[in-house]
């Protein structure tokens, strides 16, 4: 009976999401754009393009039938560079998000569930990490790590989890007072099993929304770091590194900065829109006609 009621609840929430999606043309456009970018990035190796092939006879040529996005300062096809740059930016966004969510959820659930001195210590660590300007922190870390894809994922994943930890902790403080959690503690269930079986499933909507937002934030951070020259290095490209390379050619080839910049903005906006749709589906009380 409970399972049937839960299925009906999920069905009503899905209907509410579809209804909201139909009314929001911007959300539809965002989903289509995001799906297109992801598919193109996945199938890029199958396309007849080479992001590192140079043509010295066609350097800094504007968009044309032969080169849809033009060419860069050494004659490389800019469309190929943008597509492969998108692969790197999305890869950084997803992997950094997974690392950030894992650390944030672990710290948040343990802090909220255990309370006391453990909660105080973990939250002070979060406060200290949050108080350090991220640019200074990343610059110092980059001294010890060689700039590149692995380093940028580690840096973003390990130093952007604090807000997730706070959100999950707040939810955990509420969840641990519910009857089924208190009963599990009463019968002697190990704390780690209570967290995995009861707490994390209960805060999963918050985790999903935070994860979606983290992808957008990771893409933005990677773009900023690559723009400053301490992120993705040549010959590999990302949208941020393409922006950085375009600085010296803004007067002659404005498209080199406009195209990756526009893609960064649109991708981040699309992920944030996706997060709003997931919030509508995951939050059990968003539907006005659903009884508690």
């Amino acid at each position: 009976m409970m399972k049937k009621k839960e299925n009906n609840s999920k069905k009503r929430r899905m209907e509410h999401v579809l209804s909201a999606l139909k009314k929001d043309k911007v959300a539809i456009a965002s989903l289509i754009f995001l799906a297109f970018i992801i598919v193109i990035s996945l199938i890029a190796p199958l396309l007849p393009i080479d992001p590192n092939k140079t043509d010295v006879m066609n350097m800094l040529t504007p968009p044309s039938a032969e080169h849809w996005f033009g060419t860069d300062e050494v004659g490389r096809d800019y469309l190929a560079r943008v597509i492969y740059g998108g692969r790197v930016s999305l890869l950084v966004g997803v992997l950094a998000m997974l690392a950030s969510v894992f650390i944030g959820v672990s710290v948040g659930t343990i802090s909220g569930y255990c309370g006391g001195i453990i909660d105080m210590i973990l939250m002070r660590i979060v406060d200290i990490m949050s108080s350090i300007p991220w640019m200074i922190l990343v610059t110092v870390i980059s001294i010890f790590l060689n700039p590149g894809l692995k380093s940028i994922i580690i840096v973003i994943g390990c130093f952007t989890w604090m807000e997730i930890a706070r959100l999950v902790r707040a939810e955990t403080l509420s969840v641990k007072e519910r009857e089924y959690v208190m009963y599990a503690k009463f019968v002697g269930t190990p704390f780690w099993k209570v967290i995995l079986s009861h707490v994390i499933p209960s805060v999963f909507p918050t985790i999903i929304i935070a994860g979606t937002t983290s992808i957008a934030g990771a893409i933005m951070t990677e773009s900023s770091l690559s723009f400053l020259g301490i992120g993705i290095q040549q010959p590999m490209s990302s949208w941020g590194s393409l922006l950085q390379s375009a600085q010296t050619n803004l007067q002659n080839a404005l498209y080199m900065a406009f195209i990756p910049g526009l893609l960064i903005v649109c991708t981040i906006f699309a992920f944030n829109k996706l997060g709003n749709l997931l919030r509508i589906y995951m939050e059990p009380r968003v539907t006005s006609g659903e009884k508690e």
Side-chain angles (χ1 to χ4, degrees):
M1 184 67 181
M2 291 295 295
K3 187 173 182 181
K4 183 178 180 181
K5 184 178 180 180
E6 182 180 353
N7 291 334
N8 291 335
S9 177
K10 290 182 178 180
K11 183 178 180 180
R12 285 194 296 268
R13 295 204 300 270
M14 179 58 70
E15 291 174 351
H16 189 69
V17 170
L18 294 176
S19 177
L21 183 61
K22 291 178 181 178
K23 296 177 182 178
D24 192 343
K25 293 182 180 180
V26 176
I28 296 175
S30 298
L31 287 175
I32 294 174
F33 170 80
L34 194 58
F36 177 76
I37 291 295
I38 292 174
V39 170
I40 289 296
S41 298
L42 291 175
I43 67 173
L46 304 178
L47 300 176
I49 55 176
D50 185 354
N52 297 316
K53 183 179 180 180
T54 61
D55 183 2
V56 295
M57 301 300 295
N58 290 291
M59 297 187 296
L60 296 177
T61 58
S64 62
E66 183 179 0
H67 300 286
W68 290 2
F69 285 3
T71 59
D72 64 6
E73 67 277 2
V74 294
R76 293 174 295 194
D77 184 76
Y78 210 57
L79 174 61
R81 300 287 292 172
V82 167
I83 291 176
Y84 275 82
R87 282 172 58 86
V88 173
S89 293
L90 290 175
L91 180 64
V92 169
V94 172
L95 294 183
M97 177 273 293
L98 292 175
S100 179
V101 167
F102 177 78
I103 298 173
V105 170
S106 300
V107 172
T109 52
I110 293 174
S111 178
Y113 183 81
C114 295
I117 187 67
I118 295 177
D119 181 31
M120 185 184 70
I121 293 174
L122 290 178
M123 285 300 101
R124 294 299 78 75
I125 293 174
V126 170
D127 291 339
I128 293 172
M129 295 287 290
S130 300
S131 66
I132 303 174
W134 70 270
M135 186 56 67
I136 296 176
L137 185 62
V138 167
T139 302
V140 172
I141 296 298
S142 65
I143 296 175
F144 300 97
L145 298 176
N146 294 325
L149 181 60
K150 292 181 180 179
S151 299
I152 202 70
I153 292 173
I154 293 173
V155 168
I156 296 175
C158 293
F159 297 102
T160 58
W161 52 267
M162 290 76 75
E163 187 62 27
I164 297 176
R166 287 196 179 99
L167 291 172
V168 173
R169 173 184 176 272
E171 290 290 326
T172 302
L173 289 173
S174 173
V175 170
K176 75 174 186 178
E177 300 299 329
R178 297 177 184 175
E179 292 182 356
Y180 58 88
V181 176
M182 296 179 67
Y183 177 77
K185 293 166 61 176
F186 176 76
V187 298
T189 305
F191 87 96
W192 59 267
K193 192 171 183 180
V194 175
I195 290 177
L196 293 177
S197 301
H198 300 294
V199 177
I200 290 181
S202 297
V203 302
F204 196 67
T206 300
I207 296 173
I208 291 293
I209 297 167
T212 307
T213 306
S214 294
I215 294 178
I219 292 175
M220 176 62 78
T221 304
E222 180 277 321
S223 300
S224 302
L225 296 177
S226 296
F227 179 77
L228 295 174
I230 55 177
I232 303 301
Q233 303 296 307
Q234 295 286 351
M236 183 180 291
S237 66
S238 70
W239 289 337
S241 67
L242 291 177
L243 277 176
Q244 194 272 340
S245 301
Q247 292 182 86
T248 57
N249 300 295
L250 288 178
Q251 292 183 344
N252 300 325
L254 184 60
Y255 62 88
M256 290 183 62
F258 177 78
I259 293 173
L262 180 63
L263 287 171
I264 290 172
V265 172
C266 292
T267 302
I268 292 173
F269 179 82
F271 271 115
N272 286 329
K273 270 290 182 181
L274 178 62
N276 290 334
L277 290 174
L278 287 173
R279 177 187 60 80
I280 293 174
Y281 175 72
M282 299 298 295
E283 187 61 42
R285 296 182 181 179
V286 292
T287 54
S288 59
E290 186 175 335
K291 296 182 181 180
E292 295 185 3

